[in-house]
């Protein structure tokens, strides 16, 4: 098995997703920490070796393969979860990716939704309000807060609606998949972005369900 | 094989991606057209039958299964491309998804990049400047143009950098994958959003390469 190294900032739930996926699959990850705020992902060394785009997380596979994009890294780990991994997996399933063709596409549907509609609103608001601080925001960002709050609420309404109808309380099928992990990352800390999760009871219940999966690890 | 119906607006390249994927795989698609601008994706009927989130594209599979998110719909079609499809496929490959584990993750890396960084800047700018018109934009949107232009340029730089180093001129491996199709959709019409593609020669060359793939269909 290749050695995996996660280039990450613990403040980012995009990074946490990958750690949670690896933990549920029983895959060891070495962590390499950077501070986004201190510009450590913009150094010449980072840009030339880890990612020329200057973003984290990046999953390093072996010595020389670097895979950016959190949801792609989660997919890689779960896709690689063959029987060789299973023996050490806390889950009784070999993979977090459904075998069924339609369920696999539905899992990806929620993962793309997460990156296109959830992350760009809820994670961005959290970064602005919780990490940087509202009083330090540029005017152009401040002007976007209202729109992002409304879009974030619509995203949570959509998740609530889906989970309320879900027989097993998971996004797809009858067990946890990458869709749950990727959406959980920024949802369970949406309070940092000033979303009151008590407004969305099915989401709160689902968050508890995720926290009780064998092998679960919390965000730092 | 299930019958596929694409609920779409021809003005959207997210919808076009799915048509292009189906065309390359030789899969027939029935088209159901809506005008986003005229509110046709917000009617009570649309919300109750096609998608409660009021967004298109939605790929309808058979009579009662509705799959939102353009990249997930492309994945479903290609994932379903078993030998039964191959006989009518203009491509000599059964699927647009690599068999190799790492290449499959790299394909998804670019598809998530597309939804998280490309679409939210370049497609949004195109919608604002080309579909709505700059003079009709609300102040809050107008204030975001500068930031989205800069982010869009960084996205195109990242693609250019990758393609310039690519041995075969594709995003992943030695043939076209869903990564190329999903990125092509809004890139080849980035001129509508006032990006001068002649600044990115490897991207221009790659666009031509996509247009010469057997089975290629242009956007309406």
């Amino acid at each position: 098995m290749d050695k995996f190294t996660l280039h990450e900032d613990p403040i980012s739930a995009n990074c946490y997703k990958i750690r949670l996926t690896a933990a549920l699959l029983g895959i060891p990850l070495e962590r390499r920490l950077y501070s986004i705020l201190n510009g450590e992902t913009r150094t010449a060394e980072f840009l030339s070796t880890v990612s020329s785009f200057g973003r984290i997380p990046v999953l390093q596979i072996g010595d020389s393969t670097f895979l950016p994009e959190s949801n792609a890294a989660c997919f890689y780990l779960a896709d690689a979860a063959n029987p060789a991994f299973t023996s050490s997996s806390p889950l009784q399933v070999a993979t977090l990716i459904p075998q069924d063709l339609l369920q696999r596409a539905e899992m990806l549907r929620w993962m793309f939704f997460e990156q296109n509609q959830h992350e760009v609103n809820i994670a961005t608001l959290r970064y602005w309000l919780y990490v940087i601080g509202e009083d330090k925001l540029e005017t152009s960002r401040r002007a976007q807060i209202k729109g992002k709050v409304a879009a974030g609420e619509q995203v949570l309404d959509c998740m609530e609606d889906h989970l309320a109808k879900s027989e097993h309380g998971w996004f797809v099928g009858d067990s946890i998949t990458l869709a749950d992990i990727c959406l959980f990352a920024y949802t369970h800390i949406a309070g940092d972005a000033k979303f009151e999760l008590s407004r969305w009871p099915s989401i709160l219940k689902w968050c508890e369900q995720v926290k009780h999966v064998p092998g679960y690890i919390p965000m730092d």
Side-chain angles (χ1 to χ4, degrees), chain A:
Chain A
M1 195 206 327
D2 279 312
K3 186 181 121 185
F4 296 110
T5 308
L6 181 62
H7 298 265
E8 63 152 324
D9 185 335
I11 213 160
S12 156
N14 278 328
C15 300
Y16 166 60
K17 279 174 197 171
I18 302 172
R19 293 180 53 230
L20 179 54
T21 300
L24 297 184
L25 294 167
I27 299 173
L29 272 188
E30 189 169 298
R31 304 175 68 181
R32 193 77 55 84
L33 306 186
Y34 304 82
S35 163
I36 300 171
L37 274 181
N38 292 345
E40 292 173 13
T41 58
R42 297 277 171 182
T43 63
E45 197 199 337
F46 185 93
L47 296 173
S48 67
T49 57
V50 182
S51 169
S52 60
F53 209 49
R55 295 173 68 105
I56 49 176
V58 174
L59 180 66
Q60 182 180 343
I61 303 161
D63 288 331
S64 54
T65 302
F66 294 87
L67 181 64
E69 296 301 325
S70 56
N71 290 6
C74 292
F75 192 95
Y76 180 80
L77 291 175
D79 207 8
N82 58 42
F85 291 88
T86 316
S87 57
S88 62
S89 167
L91 283 179
Q92 292 304 308
V93 292
T95 170
L96 297 164
I97 302 171
Q99 295 298 305
D100 176 74
L101 190 70
L102 179 61
Q103 288 193 348
R104 190 156 55 233
E106 285 173 338
M107 177 195 79
L108 285 167
R109 171 247 167 131
W110 289 108
M111 291 167 74
F112 285 114
F113 167 86
E114 192 270 331
Q115 283 291 291
N116 186 251
Q117 290 148 61
H118 190 298
E119 204 260 4
V120 298
N121 291 301
I122 295 174
T124 300
L125 274 180
R126 174 178 177 267
Y127 190 71
W128 291 354
L129 303 179
Y130 177 79
V131 180
I132 298 180
E134 190 167 358
D135 52 324
K136 298 197 192 82
L137 285 186
E138 299 160 25
T139 318
S140 66
R141 287 180 164 179
R142 209 184 294 257
Q144 292 174 56
I145 292 177
K146 200 175 150 191
K148 286 194 183 289
V149 168
E153 288 175 343
Q154 209 196 346
V155 158
L156 294 169
D157 287 346
C158 177
M159 291 170 63
E160 176 72 18
D161 185 52
H162 184 75
L163 286 172
K165 292 175 193 152
S166 161
E167 190 182 348
H168 301 279
W170 299 113
F171 272 88
V172 180
D174 58 6
S175 63
I176 188 168
T177 70
L178 295 179
D180 300 288
I181 295 174
C182 293
L183 281 166
F184 177 78
Y186 280 107
T187 302
H188 84 295
I189 52 170
D192 293 348
K194 301 189 182 165
F195 293 96
E196 261 300 340
L197 280 183
S198 55
R199 283 177 56 192
W200 295 278
S202 301
I203 290 181
L204 269 187
K205 196 175 151 200
W206 162 79
C207 285
E208 285 307 304
Q209 188 165 296
V210 173
K211 289 177 189 170
H212 284 85
V213 172
Y216 171 82
I217 53 167
M219 200 165 155
D220 286 353

